[in-house]
Amino acid sequence: MTDPDTLSALNAKLDSLLSLLERAVPPVPKVPDFTAADAFVWWPNPGELHPVARVNRVDLALLCAVTRLKEILLDNTRRFAKGLPANNALLWGARGMGKSSLVKAVHAAVNASLDSPTLKLVEIHREDIDTLPALMMQIRDAEARFIIFCDDLSFDHDDTSYKSLKAVLEGGIEGRPDNVIFYATSNRRHLLPRDMIENERSTAINPAEAVEEKVSLSDRFGLWLGFHKCSQDDYLEMVRAYADHYALIIEPARLRAEALEWATTRGSRSGRVAFQFIQDLAGRLEKTL
């Protein structure tokens, strides 16, 4: 018979071996329940889609000064939701002009127009782009249709993850699944810093080919929607729309004067600045949004 001390030592070694095996072999990812929500966040570790019960977004009608861009993205998304051909979209340009807000608002508007909300919004963070293939595996065979959304997408020096994104968007052997479309926002039109592109041009043996490799990522997006800085009239239109929507009672002349003063202290005019002013105004008026 084996003495108790020997058995205890053996059990300890087996427990240690099992612990090592569990760490070496990743757990089987859960099968997503796509009926749990209309929006999800991708968690690459442990490879799960986390449902979002309440999406942080504004109504599509409140996005002023981007009427034509709204129409284009809304039409593209409606076609995709119906199973018709549609393009990946890159929303680029000035900060705070509603790029990410437009994506979320369009998703809600299209879902509201469907008999059942079968269009899902999946957010993937910039630093997790290289896990896109794993995400695609989880949604490729689902009945729902998916907008993969990456906010503030850009790439810095020595960052090669853009190559995996290129393959996923178009060019990989499997290609983009029919039930997936990719929407991204960025402050950069070509997603790469200008000095990075210029450096490639100046140091490469064939400058044209080197630059082409860097900027070809943005070519994978069929839609380029440019957001430009807004005028004073556009800014005031945004402020008035928010004030009316939230029923903030204030004299028009006072609203205009305070909104302009707020923009002056911030040194910029944008949809984000307009909403920040409205938050301040609502607080002073003791109103909830």
Side-chain angles (χ1 to χ4, degrees):
M1 295 182 63
T2 307
D3 64 86
D5 290 341
T6 303
L7 286 175
S8 178
L10 181 60
N11 286 334
K13 290 181 179 180
L14 288 174
D15 289 342
S16 178
L17 179 60
L18 288 173
S19 177
L20 290 172
L21 288 174
E22 288 175 354
R23 280 184 283 176
V25 180
V28 177
K30 296 179 182 178
V31 177
D33 178 12
F34 294 121
T35 64
D38 293 337
F40 298 81
V41 174
W42 169 242
W43 288 357
N45 188 14
E48 295 179 0
L49 285 164
H50 176 69
V52 178
R54 182 176 179 273
V55 178
N56 178 29
R57 60 185 163 207
V58 299
D59 189 85
L60 187 63
L62 289 177
L63 297 177
C64 304
V66 290
T67 302
R68 181 55 181 158
L69 302 180
K70 283 196 296 185
E71 293 173 353
I72 294 173
L73 192 65
L74 188 60
D75 181 62
N76 190 69
T77 309
R78 280 174 176 160
R79 285 190 277 113
F80 171 71
K82 294 178 181 178
L84 298 172
N87 279 303
N88 300 314
L90 174 62
L91 291 72
W92 67 276
R95 300 188 307 273
M97 283 304 295
K99 298 184 292 294
S100 59
S101 296
L102 180 56
V103 172
K104 292 181 285 187
V106 162
H107 165 251
V110 171
N111 250 352
S113 68
L114 301 175
D115 294 332
S116 59
T118 55
L119 182 63
K120 308 298 180 180
L121 182 67
V122 178
E123 182 177 27
I124 181 171
H125 296 140
R126 153 70 192 89
E127 57 271 19
D128 301 325
I129 283 295
D130 57 353
T131 67
L132 260 176
L135 171 57
M136 294 296 187
M137 289 294 294
Q138 293 209 21
I139 63 179
R140 180 181 296 275
D141 298 322
E143 293 183 2
R145 303 184 72 78
F146 298 87
I147 299 173
I148 306 299
F149 170 52
C150 184
D151 191 23
D152 198 20
L153 179 63
S154 62
F155 300 93
D156 297 320
H157 298 275
D158 302 322
D159 188 346
T160 59
S161 59
Y162 72 92
K163 294 183 179 180
S164 61
L165 177 57
K166 285 168 62 175
V168 168
L169 293 178
E170 289 179 23
I173 190 171
E174 290 183 303
R176 175 165 55 91
D178 292 336
N179 65 335
V180 173
I181 201 167
F182 195 89
Y183 286 178
T185 69
S186 178
N187 294 331
R188 303 166 178 167
R189 184 174 184 178
H190 290 298
L191 304 176
L192 299 165
R194 182 175 296 275
D195 62 336
M196 184 176 177
I197 296 174
E198 293 299 331
N199 182 64
E200 290 289 335
R201 179 181 286 116
S202 63
T203 60
I205 295 175
N206 190 324
E209 289 183 359
V211 174
E212 184 68 20
E213 164 70 13
K214 296 296 184 183
V215 303
S216 61
L217 173 59
S218 57
D219 291 340
R220 293 326 200 252
F221 295 89
L223 283 182
W224 285 7
L225 303 180
F227 289 68
H228 306 286
K229 294 181 179 180
C230 68
S231 65
Q232 178 173 293
D233 289 342
D234 290 335
Y235 169 73
L236 291 173
E237 180 186 357
M238 296 172 188
V239 169
R240 284 191 294 268
Y242 280 128
D244 292 343
H245 178 76
Y246 293 115
L248 302 180
I249 307 302
I250 182 174
E251 295 179 0
R254 179 187 164 195
L255 177 66
R256 183 181 190 279
E258 292 187 4
L260 290 177
E261 181 182 2
W262 183 271
T264 301
T265 60
R266 290 297 306 272
S268 66
R269 294 187 295 260
S270 69
R272 180 178 297 140
V273 172
F275 187 69
Q276 289 168 344
F277 165 71
I278 289 296
Q279 286 181 305
D280 179 77
L281 177 63
R284 288 187 281 113
L285 296 176
E286 297 183 352
K287 294 274 291 184
T288 58
L289 300 182

